[in-house]
Amino acid sequence: MAGSRSPFKNPFLKGFDERLPILRAVHHSMTAHAYPKNLNYWWNFGSIAGIMLLVMIVTGLFLAMHYKPSVQEDTYGINQAFRSVEHIMRDVKGGMFLRYMHSVGASFFFIAVIFHMFRGLYYGSYKAPREVLWILGCVILILMMGIAFLGYSLVWGVMSFAAAEVITQVFTAIPILGDDILILLRGGEDVDDALLNRFFALHFLLPFVLAGVVILHILTLQTVGSNNPLGIDLKSKKDTVSFHPYYTFKDIFGLALFFTIYLAVVAWAPERLAEAINNQPTDYNLPSHIVPEWYLLPFYAILKVFTWDLNLFGLVITGKQLGALAMAGSLGVLFMMPWLDTSPVRSGRFRPVFKFFFWGFVLCCLILALVGAQTSGEAFFIPTPFGRLPLGIDAGNGFVWGSTQQWGVLFTGYYFAYFIVILPVLGLFEKPKQLPASISEPVLA
Amino acid sequence: MKTLSAAAALSTVAAAPAISEAAGPIDSQTWSFTGPLGYYDEGQLQHGLYVYQTRCQACHSLGLVRFSSLTGLDVSEDAVKALASTYEIPYINDDGDRDVRPGVLNDTFPWALGNPKRAIATYGKAPPDLSTMARSRIGGADYVYALLTGYDDAHEQPEGAYYNKVMKVISMPNPWPADMSDFEYPNGTRPSLEQQARDVTAFLNWAADPYLEERHQWGIIVVLYMLALTVISFLAYRVVAAKVYAKLDAEGGPDPEH
Amino acid sequence: MAGTPTDVANPDRRNFIVLSTMAMAGIGAASAGVALVRTMTPTRDVAGGGVIEVSLEGIAEGSGIVASAGRKKYSVRRRTAAEIEAAVAGDSEKLRDQQTDAERVQRPEWLVLRLQCPHLGCPPQGTASGEKRGEFGGFFCPCHNSQFDTSGRIRKGPSPANLPVPKYFFASDEMIVIGKEA
C-alpha cells in the first residue's frame, strides 16, 4: 500500500501522506476495495456498532471526569460512588444526558452487535475464509460483556453489588485454586473498596483494548472481503461496488434511523431497560431477585439452571461448576462455528431446513433470556402486553410443572444441540436450493 | 457475605417477593409527569414538599436533594434561602466541636436521625433515603402511592411490624394520623389522605427526577431533528445510489481479485 | 434494487440533498461536542460558590478577619485613622502599580483585599492584630518579603502588582458580600 502513489493533490495532504501513509490507506479501503453490490440492511449493523463504541468511549471519558470509585459512606449512609453518579445526574451541566447516553448506549451497542452476529450466523459469514474475522468478533462480544458487567458494578447500587458478588463467586468453581482466585480478584474476601477501584481501572482500560480488536476485525474484513446475502463469492467487476459513496451514504442513513430510536429512548424512557432497584445504594445484602442487564440474560440463564451435582465415576462436578462450564461453553461454542457447520453452502437463503432450525435458535435465545429474568423455582411465563401467559403450573406440593428451571434446561439443551449436533449433521444431509451463478446474474447457472 | 454459595444465590426458590417488586398488583395512577410529554405541576410539588416536611422528614432523609434545586418548584431563591436557614446542619466548628449552623442554598436536606447508626439504634432499621425512591421500585410513582395508601390498621398486624397491602410486612408504621381534620396546606386547603399521598408522591418523583421536563423537551427537539436527518439522509442515499448504479452498469466496480 | 433510477434527476438538487445531509449531520455532531464540553464547566453544587457573606460586627478598629470562600482567602480590615491617612499620603508617591487609595476602597474605614500575593500566590500576613505588617504598616508576604502599605499596594519586594481588590458590596452597614458586585 505504501508503495503506491499518494492519491492526494493538495500539497499538504500529499506531503503528510508520503511521510505517514495512513490517509491513503483510508482512501484505498473506501474506494479501491471490492464490496458486493447486493448487501442488504442487515449489513448496516457493523458500522452502527462501531459508532456506538465511539459514543460509549466518549461519554465514558466525560463521565470519568466526575465519577468517584469509593465505597466510603457519608452521614446519610450513601456511598461516594453512588453519590458521584447522582452528582452527575443532578449537578453536572448536561450530566443527566451524559449518564443516560452511556447506560442506554450500552443496550443499543448490544442491540447492534446482536443483529450483526445473527446476520453472520444466518448468512454463513463465519465460513472460510472468514474464520479469523468471526473469531475476532467473538472476542469482541466477550470483551463487551466483561466491560458491561464492570461498568454496571460501578454504580454501587443494590444490583451492582449483587452482580459483583455473584460473578466473582463463579470463579470459586475452579477446582483447588478457586477460593484463592476469588480473594485475588476481589483484593480481599468480600466485595468492597478494593474491588470497586480495580473494576473502575479495568472498565476504563478494556474499551481501548476492544477498539484495538475492532481495528483487527476491520483489517481482517478488508483482507478476506465482505460476505453477501447470497453467500457466493465475487466473480467479476459486475458484482462489485466501492464502499464510498454507496455504502457510506447507506450507513449514514442507517445510523440516522438507529440514533433516532436511541435518542428517543434516552429522552423518554431511559430507565425502561434498567433494573429499578439499582437506583438505591447497596447495603451489602443480596436482593431476593437477582437479574443482570437484559443482554446478559441468556448466559445468566445457562449459568443458573444447573443446580444438581454430577457424579462421574467418583469425580463430583457440583451444580455451580456445571453452570460455570456451561456458560463458558455457550460462548466457546461460538468460536467453533466455522468448523461445526459442515454445509458447503454459506447463506441460509438457500438452506430451507437450516432456516427452520435457525429461527428455532433465535426463539431459544429469547426463551433463555426470559428464563434468566425469572425465578428458577416458579412457573415459567411469557410476558405479553395483555398480561402474563403462564407456561407452567404450581402443583402445590412443592413441585412445579413447567418451572423456569425446567424450561431453562430444555432450551439450554437446544442451544448446545444447535451447535454440536444440528449444524454438523445438517450440513451433511441437507439438500440446498440451487445457487445462482453470480451476484449480478440472479438467473440460475 | 463471605462464602455465599453462588448456587444458593442463583437458584432462588422464591417465596419472598423481590425487594423492588410489590407483593400484589399496583393500580395504575394518572400523573402529570408520565409519558413523553409529562410535566410537573409546581403547585402540587410545593404541597408535596409540605407533606414531606410534616410526615416524612422526622425519619427519612433527602440526602441528594440540595435546597438550591427547590427553585425548580417555582419558588423564589429568597424563599428557598429562608427555608434552608430553618434547617440545622451539623458541622465541626472552629473549636473542633460538633455544632449546628443554619442551612444555606448549597446544603442537602439534613437527616433528622443524623446518621445510620443512630437510626438503627432508634428504630432497629434505618429508614431509607427518599432521594431516588420513586425510581427504585418497579411501578415508580404508582408503587409509592400504593404503599402510602396501602395501610390498613384494621387488618391483622404481623409480629413486630405493620401490615401494608403493597409490602405485606413493612417496618414503617402508618404515617397518617387517624384524625387529620385539622390538617391544612399553607394555602388553606384541607387535603384528604389520598390527596396528601398523591402530592408527596409527585414531590418524591421530582426529587428522583428533577430534570424530567428538560429531558422531555430535549427529546422533542432532538427526535424531530433526527427524523428530519433520517429522511434527508435516505434521500441522499437514493441520490448517490442512482449515480453509482448508472456508473456500475457501464463500467462495473473495483476488481474483486484486488 | 439494483439499477432502479431515482426520481431526482437534477444534479443541483442531488448535490443539495447530499450537502444538506452532511450539514445536518455536522450540526448534530457539533452540538453533541458542545454539550460534552459543557459537562466540564463548574457543576451546580459549586457554581456561585465563590460568594461569601462577612459580618462586620465585632471587628474593632485596627483589626480584621480572614474570610475563606473555597480556596480563596479574603482580608476584611477595619483601618484606624492613622492607617487611612498613611494610605492617602501614599497616593502621591511613585508606585510600581500606581493606584490611589480611593480607587481601592468603597468606604475608607474598610479595606477588603484578596490575600493572594501577585508574585507567586502566598497569602500575606497583616490582617489580624499581632500579625507582621512589614515596613509600611500594611501587609507582609513571608514567602519572598513583598511589603504592602495600608492600602495593600506593593512598596518593596518582588511583587509586580498591588494586592487584588475583589468584587464586593455592602449589603448593610454590618454585612459585606464578597465575590460579586451589588
Side-chain angles (χ1 to χ4, degrees):
Chain A
M1 180 92 50
S4 59
R5 282 236 231 107
S6 176
F8 301 101
K9 300 241 182 23
N10 176 290
F12 176 76
L13 291 176
K14 188 163 189 284
F16 176 80
D17 191 53
E18 276 162 356
R19 289 155 179 76
L20 178 65
I22 49 172
L23 294 177
R24 81 179 67 172
V26 173
H27 181 265
H28 184 90
S29 60
M30 301 280 267
T31 57
H33 277 252
Y35 278 80
K37 65 178 186 182
N38 62 334
L39 300 182
N40 61 29
Y41 282 106
W42 291 105
W43 264 259
N44 274 54
F45 288 103
S47 65
I48 291 173
I51 296 295
M52 285 312 296
L53 174 62
L54 189 66
V55 168
M56 294 304 286
I57 287 178
V58 169
T59 54
L61 171 66
F62 282 84
L63 283 168
M65 293 186 189
H66 305 279
Y67 174 74
K68 295 211 191 304
S70 165
V71 306
Q72 176 114 11
E73 286 181 11
D74 56 20
T75 52
Y76 297 96
I78 298 175
N79 61 75
Q80 269 207 293
F82 187 90
R83 182 174 276 276
S84 70
V85 174
E86 286 295 312
H87 167 74
I88 290 166
M89 297 272 279
R90 294 164 192 267
D91 297 325
V92 173
K93 298 204 173 105
M96 173 184 58
F97 297 108
L98 192 61
R99 195 269 174 109
Y100 282 143
M101 290 283 289
H102 200 72
S103 59
V104 175
S107 285
F108 274 75
F109 190 11
F110 273 95
I111 288 173
V113 166
I114 286 167
F115 281 131
H116 184 72
M117 287 191 90
F118 274 92
R119 179 279 316 264
L121 288 171
Y122 184 79
Y123 291 108
S125 305
Y126 48 82
K127 286 175 164 300
R130 298 180 181 91
E131 305 93 324
V132 172
L133 183 66
W134 174 261
I135 286 172
L136 285 172
C138 294
V139 172
I140 288 172
L141 178 69
I142 291 179
L143 275 172
M144 278 176 68
M145 288 168 60
I147 292 169
F149 154 71
L150 292 168
Y152 190 74
S153 288
L154 294 181
V155 180
W156 220 238
V158 170
M159 205 57 87
S160 302
F161 170 79
E165 173 73 42
V166 167
I167 297 303
T168 49
Q169 273 286 337
V170 172
F171 284 85
T172 59
I174 297 169
I176 307 166
L177 293 173
D179 291 327
D180 293 319
I181 289 177
L182 178 69
I183 291 180
L184 183 67
L185 283 177
R186 292 181 174 180
E189 296 209 349
D190 301 319
V191 167
D192 208 336
D193 201 51
L195 177 140
L196 180 59
N197 233 111
R198 63 191 58 181
F199 271 24
F200 180 52
L202 285 170
H203 186 71
F204 199 104
L205 170 75
L206 288 178
F208 297 100
V209 173
L210 180 66
V213 180
V214 167
I215 290 173
L216 292 179
H217 189 69
I218 294 173
L219 286 175
T220 315
L221 173 69
Q222 294 187 338
T223 312
V224 298
S226 177
N227 191 19
N228 67 83
L230 297 177
I232 53 184
D233 291 332
L234 301 172
K235 302 283 190 331
S236 72
K237 282 162 60 156
K238 291 222 204 90
D239 296 339
T240 72
V241 75
S242 66
F243 189 88
H244 181 71
Y246 183 68
Y247 288 120
T248 323
F249 279 88
K250 193 173 186 192
D251 278 351
I252 289 176
F253 162 61
L255 261 166
L257 183 57
F258 188 84
F259 264 69
T260 305
I261 302 170
Y262 166 42
L263 294 174
V265 173
V266 168
W268 295 326
E271 305 254 356
R272 180 65 64 83
L273 295 162
E275 276 301 306
I277 193 66
N278 215 37
N279 283 314
Q280 190 172 305
T282 180
D283 60 353
Y284 301 92
N285 292 317
L286 290 176
S288 47
H289 189 53
I290 301 174
V291 268
E293 289 278 275
W294 66 268
Y295 37 80
L296 300 178
L297 285 173
F299 303 101
Y300 184 66
I302 293 175
L303 175 68
K304 76 174 184 178
V305 295
F306 293 88
T307 53
W308 62 91
D309 295 344
L310 193 65
N311 195 321
L312 281 178
F313 314 104
L315 175 72
V316 177
I317 306 179
T318 63
K320 184 207 296 186
Q321 288 171 325
L322 275 177
L325 282 170
M327 184 171 82
S330 67
L331 288 164
V333 92
L334 285 172
F335 282 78
M336 309 299 303
M337 268 305 278
W339 299 278
L340 291 171
D341 184 1
T342 53
S343 170
V345 172
R346 281 199 194 108
S347 172
R349 212 182 262 191
F350 301 100
R351 304 177 60 188
V353 185
F354 164 84
K355 265 194 225 185
F356 169 76
F357 285 105
F358 172 82
W359 289 109
F361 177 70
V362 171
L363 180 71
C364 170
C365 291
L366 292 169
I367 299 283
L368 283 175
L370 290 173
V371 167
Q374 294 178 26
T375 317
S376 294
E378 291 183 353
F380 186 62
F381 63 87
I382 310 276
T384 72
F386 310 107
R388 294 183 177 185
L389 176 67
L391 290 183
I393 299 174
D394 195 332
N397 56 356
F399 189 77
V400 179
W401 293 94
S403 71
T404 300
Q405 183 180 18
Q406 290 160 14
W407 283 96
V409 171
L410 181 68
F411 277 91
T412 302
Y414 183 87
Y415 184 99
F416 282 100
Y418 180 75
F419 290 101
I420 303 175
V421 176
I422 296 171
L423 285 182
V425 168
L426 196 56
L428 300 173
F429 296 108
E430 185 183 33
K431 192 173 178 318
K433 291 205 236 173
Q434 184 100 45
L435 293 171
S438 78
I439 291 170
S440 53
E441 287 156 19
V443 181
L444 302 175
Chain B
M1 282 305 116
K2 285 194 176 193
T3 46
L4 184 76
S5 148
L10 295 173
S11 61
T12 43
V13 180
I19 189 176
S20 64
E21 228 176 318
I26 298 181
D27 293 332
S28 203
Q29 305 293 332
T30 322
W31 304 100
S32 66
F33 44 81
T34 46
L37 300 172
Y39 63 94
Y40 285 124
D41 176 353
E42 280 85 17
Q44 181 178 40
L45 296 183
Q46 288 174 26
H47 288 156
L49 170 63
Y50 186 74
V51 174
Y52 165 75
Q53 288 176 307
T54 45
R55 308 224 183 277
C56 321
Q57 195 170 257
C59 299
H60 290 281
S61 53
L62 275 179
L64 296 167
V65 181
R66 286 181 206 284
F67 293 116
S68 55
S69 62
L70 289 173
T71 48
L73 268 54
D74 234 9
V75 177
S76 72
E77 198 177 274
D78 288 331
V80 173
K81 260 198 212 170
L83 177 79
S85 61
T86 64
Y87 285 88
E88 288 183 337
I89 312 294
Y91 79 114
I92 308 277
N93 63 23
D94 289 339
D95 294 327
D97 298 320
R98 286 172 204 260
D99 201 349
V100 289
R101 58 166 177 78
V104 294
L105 280 180
N106 215 38
D107 289 322
T108 52
F109 278 81
W111 194 5
L113 293 174
N115 57 66
K117 279 194 179 165
R118 189 181 302 136
I120 292 171
T122 316
Y123 292 115
K125 203 174 161 218
D129 184 277
L130 296 180
S131 311
T132 57
M133 184 57 68
R135 60 175 150 92
S136 305
R137 301 287 183 266
I138 296 172
D142 292 342
Y143 178 100
V144 173
Y145 179 80
L147 188 136
L148 289 174
T149 53
Y151 281 92
D152 186 358
D153 290 339
H155 193 282
E156 188 196 332
Q157 304 291 319
E159 189 70 44
Y162 305 90
Y163 173 79
N164 182 292
K165 287 198 197 89
V166 170
M167 271 185 76
K168 297 294 188 266
V169 179
I170 191 171
S171 312
M172 168 170 128
N174 191 343
W176 311 108
D179 181 14
M180 287 193 287
S181 49
D182 283 345
F183 182 75
E184 261 183 25
Y185 279 149
N187 66 357
T189 55
R190 294 219 173 168
S192 63
L193 188 152
E194 283 77 22
Q195 189 58 48
Q196 292 179 54
R198 192 166 284 280
D199 293 344
V200 77
T201 301
F203 172 72
L204 288 179
N205 203 92
W206 171 86
D209 191 2
Y211 302 119
L212 172 141
E213 289 176 332
E214 282 90 326
R215 198 177 65 244
H216 287 175
Q217 285 156 17
W218 177 92
I220 294 174
I221 299 170
V222 166
V223 171
L224 282 176
Y225 187 86
M226 288 306 298
L227 283 171
L229 178 55
T230 305
V231 166
I232 202 171
S233 64
F234 179 74
L235 292 175
Y237 160 58
R238 294 313 306 156
V239 156
V240 166
K243 260 204 298 205
V244 169
Y245 288 136
K247 187 158 161 273
L248 281 186
D249 287 340
E251 309 165 12
D255 195 335
E257 291 311 305
H258 168 87
Chain C
M1 250 330 175
T4 34
T6 183
D7 40 327
V8 183
N10 186 336
D12 293 323
R13 181 127 175 253
R14 291 207 297 258
N15 277 338
F16 173 73
I17 291 178
V18 170
L19 274 170
S20 306
T21 305
M22 305 312 292
M24 277 189 85
I27 290 171
S31 36
V34 166
L36 280 169
V37 171
R38 191 165 163 261
T39 64
M40 290 172 66
T41 55
T43 55
R44 293 191 184 101
D45 54 331
V46 292
V51 178
I52 186 175
E53 289 172 2
V54 180
S55 170
L56 302 175
E57 268 183 286
I59 303 181
E61 219 182 90
S63 76
I65 58 161
V66 173
S68 297
R71 306 253 177 258
K72 295 194 172 85
K73 285 208 184 91
Y74 299 104
S75 164
V76 178
R77 219 182 124 67
R78 192 169 174 190
R79 303 193 291 187
T80 60
E83 285 171 357
I84 299 172
E85 224 183 282
V88 172
D91 285 354
S92 50
E93 307 219 7
K94 185 162 180 318
L95 305 167
R96 184 178 302 161
D97 183 3
Q98 199 75 39
Q99 276 188 307
T100 64
D101 185 58
E103 287 173 314
R104 294 174 58 76
V105 293
Q106 292 178 19
R107 296 187 194 179
E109 198 190 358
W110 293 101
L111 182 64
V112 180
L113 298 173
R114 170 99 191 267
L115 279 177
Q116 187 183 53
C117 182
H119 179 230
L120 289 175
C122 292
Q125 297 177 350
T127 304
S129 319
E131 289 185 14
K132 277 179 88 165
R133 331 242 18 205
E135 280 175 37
F136 296 83
F139 296 86
F140 173 74
C141 186
C143 288
H144 305 98
N145 288 0
S146 289
Q147 322 239 10
F148 303 86
D149 64 15
T150 52
S151 185
R153 293 173 296 207
I154 181 65
R155 295 299 199 107
K156 202 171 170 185
S159 173
N162 301 334
L163 287 177
V165 178
K167 290 188 221 172
Y168 71 97
F169 67 95
F170 282 84
S172 71
D173 285 343
E174 315 292 338
M175 174 86 77
I176 59 168
V177 177
I178 307 180
K180 62 179 189 188
E181 236 114 67

